[in-house]
Structure formats: structure tokens, C-alpha cells
Amino acid sequence: MRAAGPHATAVTLAVARGERSAVHCHGRTARDGGPCTPETGYELGSVTKTFTALLLAELAARGEVALDDPLRRHLPAGRRAPVVRRGGPIRLIHLATHTAGLPGQPPGLLASAVPAWNSNPYAAYDEQRLWAALARTTVRRPPGEVYWYSNYGVGLLGWLLAEAGGGPDYAGLLTERIGRPLGLGSLSCSPDAPRLATGHHLGRPLPPWRIPALPGAGAVRAGGADLLRFLRAHLEPDGGPLGEALREVRRPRLRLPRSGDGICLVWNHRRTPDDRDLFFHSGATRGFTAFVGFCPQTATAVAALTNTGPTVRSSFNQTAYDSFKRLARPDGGPSGSG
């Protein structure tokens, strides 16, 4: 609770190691809310992108898309693709590895976000603004050449997958292709979903996060128990549904300069000195902070969630990563490599 900061009312830590698992819940869904439970939903922010990656791999496993498909192949009718000045077309794999050459946010978003920066900055930027922005986007570096983390890119990927998969929209496709097969009852993109915790920013309760233009980048909500099911599926891809897709999202695609870390389909990948693979991703909205990670070699998975947004002094995600790294060691303790 201390790492979550003084303004959190709820913290959930879900942990699996081998056959053992537990979901630890602390606090209340709001200052005057009910007790936090394993089904209490949290806004996941950019952890959403790991679900979008699995959707991409699932549609690819069915032959509905290919990772190398050009972006324009799956644009809705009448929508214009960005202009690419150099190199080949933007492909789906570029969107899922942040190498499409797109900026972090779509053009025009900042102007509408500033008035609501500390509450709901994405709410006024809708789907129509996204398509208009896409038509006036120019990519100046060859796609696939440079890594640049992009909400714009993965959010756009969510729309393209909904189009390719028959929709009706990202949220519906997510429920049909990921939520139901994996039994994720709390999984939702709706700000009106039941059992949601209330987010907080510097102690002030916030309205639910709305991100209508980029749901594939940051709209998912889920509880600790369901996140553990989601991560366990990645640990054991051959033991249940979505096996081919779950294997595909774990495959490293590129190595980042200087850090040595890799990027899979969305997932960050770090190889330890003793040859273990750490896959992880963090996320945040104005009112929530989230971290997920898994290590196949030690069958370890961790999801950490809290209902307060990050600040410059926040240590929640770093503490969650450090705990995950420690638990993922062969002895599960403070000694060892990695």
C-alpha cells in the first residue's frame, strides 16, 4: 500500500508461481465504497495494449489478417492512410512494435486534452477526429526503422482489427475473441462496467476514464483474478485456447538500442543473465496505475493494480517490477541472477 502512494484507497496484487496462486486485496473501492475484491475492476491504461497484441495474433492465427499486411488493407471504406515519405507501407507488425513512424499521440489530441488534463484528457477526442487526423498524418522515417512508443499506433491497430474481425467494435471483438475463451468475466472497455473501483488523482476522485478514439491503446478494465488468468494463459499456451496466438505474442521482434531489451508484439522482453525471459508491461490512466509480468521458465506471473494515478514521485510500477523480477528467480527470493 505504501508504494501506491498516500491517495490510493485500493490495491490488488495477484501472484502465481507454479501451481500456486493468490489474489491479495487491500482497502476499499472508494473512500466510502465497499471492500476491494479479486473481481474489483481497475482501469489498466497501456496494459490494454497487451490485449490488443493478443487480438492481432488471434486474428493472424485464423488467417483473417497477416502480421505483414499493409495498414491500408484493413482501413474502413473511405478512410485515408497516412502519407509515407520514405520506405515501404506501414504494416500491422509496425503498429504492434511501435515502429510505424507515427507520433505518440494523434494530431490534434493535445488541444482537446489540455482543458481536462487532470481528469479525462482523451474524452473529447472521438473516432471521427482520429480518422481525420490519420488522413493528414505524414510519416517521414521508413516504417520499421525506428522504435517510438505510440498510443496512436496501437490505438489505430485496435480499429483495424475490429474491421478485419467483423467487429462490431474493438470492445465487442475483445470480449468475443479473448474474454470468453479465457473466461475473463470482469474484462470490459466500458466506463459503466459493474464493480469498478473509483480512480484518484492527488486524492481527488475522478470520473471513469474515457478514450473513445483509442480504445485499443488504453480502454480495458479488469480485476486481479482475471488478469492472473490472462497471464497464466501466456505461461501455458499449449494447455488451453488461443495457443498459437499466445505463443506468437511472446516471440521477440526487435532489440532496443542501448538497453538490450526486446519488443515482442507489444510486450517488453528482458533476458536475464541466467537465461530466463521476463515479459512485462505497465500502464496508467489519470486515476489508476497497473503492472503485469510473467516468466515462463519459473511459471511466475504478477499483476499489481491501484486506484491512484501516477505522479513524478510515484514508485508503484517500479516496485511492482522489482517484486516480479525477484519472484521470477529460480528460488523465488532475493538472491540469484536477473
Side-chain angles (χ1 to χ4, degrees), residues 208-290:
W209 184 252
R210 297 180 186 274
I211 184 168
L214 302 169
V220 169
R221 282 95 167 152
D226 275 347
L227 280 178
L228 204 55
R229 293 186 188 98
F230 176 67
L231 295 172
R232 272 194 176 279
H234 287 75
L235 288 174
E236 304 163 357
D238 297 323
L242 307 180
E244 183 178 345
L246 288 161
R247 289 190 296 273
E248 192 69 16
V249 298
R250 288 174 23 173
R251 190 156 67 85
R253 309 287 169 163
L254 61 95
R255 186 164 297 280
L256 299 180
R258 292 181 295 276
S259 76
D261 287 352
I263 299 295
C264 304
L265 293 183
V266 167
W267 286 95
N268 301 299
H269 171 248
R270 185 167 293 164
R271 187 78 168 172
T272 68
D274 59 353
D275 293 329
R276 285 174 294 114
D277 296 292
L278 305 182
F279 300 90
F280 56 97
H281 209 288
S282 61
T285 66
R286 276 292 172 266
F288 290 83
T289 311

Side-chain angles (χ1 to χ4, degrees), residues 49-67 92 96 157 161-162 164-167 170 172-182 230 234 240-250 253 265:
K49 294 178 176 69
T50 65
F51 288 88
T52 303
L54 187 55
L55 270 180
L56 171 60
E58 198 274 344
L59 267 66
R62 291 175 179 243
E64 295 171 272
V65 304
L67 298 184
L92 301 187
L157 178 61
L161 296 176
Y170 175 84
L173 190 70
L174 182 69
T175 297
E176 176 189 344
R177 302 295 184 92
I178 306 299
R180 288 180 186 146
L182 296 184
F230 176 67
H234 287 75
L242 307 180
E244 183 178 345
L246 288 161
R247 289 190 296 273
E248 192 69 16
V249 298
R250 288 174 23 173
R253 309 287 169 163
L265 293 183

Side-chain angles (χ1 to χ4, degrees), residues 60-77:
R62 291 175 179 243
E64 295 171 272
V65 304
L67 298 184
D68 285 334
D69 281 350
L71 174 159
R72 64 175 66 251
R73 181 174 298 175
H74 301 292
L75 279 175

